[in-house]
Amino acid sequence: MSTTTSSPIIMISSIYKSLTKAEQKVADFVMADTKEAVYSSVTDLAEKAGVGETTVIRFCRKLGYHGYQEFKLAVAQNLVSPDEQVHGEIEESDDLEVVAKKITNQNTHALENTLNLLQSQGLEKAVNAIILAKRLYCFGIGSSGITALDAKYRFMRFGFTVEHSSDSHIMAMHGALVGERDVVIGISTSGSTKDVVDAIRIAKENKAYVICITNHAKSPITQYADVILLAASKETPLQGGAFSSKIAQLHLLDILTTVVALRLKENIFQSIEKTAKAVLDKMY
């Protein structure tokens, strides 16, 4: 981690005159709308400031941070109180019933907003690609890696040949071995997780069909996607792995896999029946 301890906004003011004109555009945007910057991917911020992504990275490094994510974390830490950083709008004084209602409302909004972002044309393309796929691969790191494992489990129950990986080396190797009839599903809330983006890039170079599930339409992972499925839940770097983000991801996967199941009704029913019987003796 960087040894920078001052407020990032104060630091920006102190070095502003030494920044290039392009870097000053980034500084201007961050100072004018700090909260929006915290929720933006590096691609989002670059576009909003009217500069390239490399300019954003240089700007962060001039402030003493190793990269954009470390800069965002520092901004988030200075933006609100510790409780709000972790729990959003939930207050320490809220009783249990209020906490439960607020969380339910947040998750409901995440689902509704995700549905509003869903484009039927993109969903149709993703479904068709999966139906015709020789093999499926599900990639993700951290919390998104667990979602990728859920995706593998669901598709395996349907009878698909499917692999899952949350290991950067294995993802890269899978990416190197895919072909034209393979479909890779990359899951990344930020869309900026380097290991996942790198694996997706390698897979795309080897002509795989790429479906990405992310919260950011304009993020590094989307550059390699044939289809983008957007989850609507937002989180700061301090809320990484938020359940609302996972619920939105799972909601998209539920829609995707259900439509696939409807299209392949008879074959999938047989696979579900076989897999269900296979684990019967594992239960009392």
Side-chain angles (χ1 to χ4, degrees), residues 19 27-28 35 58 88 99 157 200-201 204 211 215 217 228 245 263 270-271:
L19 299 174
D28 291 340
K35 191 170 184 179
R58 284 199 308 270
V99 170
R157 293 289 307 270
I200 291 295
R201 173 183 53 77
K204 189 62 182 173
I211 300 167
N215 289 25
I228 303 167
S245 295
R263 298 283 175 85
Q270 290 174 7
S271 296

Side-chain angles (χ1 to χ4, degrees), residues 138-156:
C138 303
F139 295 166
I141 293 288
S143 180
S144 293
I146 298 170
T147 306
L149 182 58
D150 286 329
K152 176 196 172 175
Y153 182 79
R154 186 73 178 269
F155 282 117
M156 184 175 66

Side-chain angles (χ1 to χ4, degrees), residues 229-251:
L229 299 178
L230 288 173
S233 178
K234 284 187 173 184
E235 61 182 37
T236 73
L238 290 159
Q239 296 169 321
F243 279 115
S244 58
S245 295
K246 178 170 285 295
I247 288 167
Q249 290 175 346
L250 290 171
H251 184 53

Side-chain angles (χ1 to χ4, degrees), residues 22-89:
E23 290 163 354
Q24 286 179 353
K25 289 182 179 180
V26 180
D28 291 340
F29 181 85
V30 172
M31 290 191 291
D33 198 343
T34 308
K35 191 170 184 179
E36 183 63 24
V38 168
Y39 285 111
S40 296
S41 68
V42 63
T43 311
D44 284 333
L45 182 57
E47 184 173 282
K48 289 167 184 172
V51 300
E53 291 178 24
T54 53
T55 299
V56 175
I57 301 302
R58 284 199 308 270
F59 165 76
C60 295
R61 287 177 178 166
K62 283 191 176 180
L63 288 170
Y65 302 101
H66 294 148
Y68 181 59
Q69 294 304 315
E70 188 177 354
F71 166 70
K72 279 212 309 182
L73 177 60
V75 173
Q77 288 173 323
N78 282 272
L79 191 60
V80 291
S81 67
D83 279 344
E84 193 175 348
Q85 288 171 6
V86 178
H87 303 297
E89 296 179 3

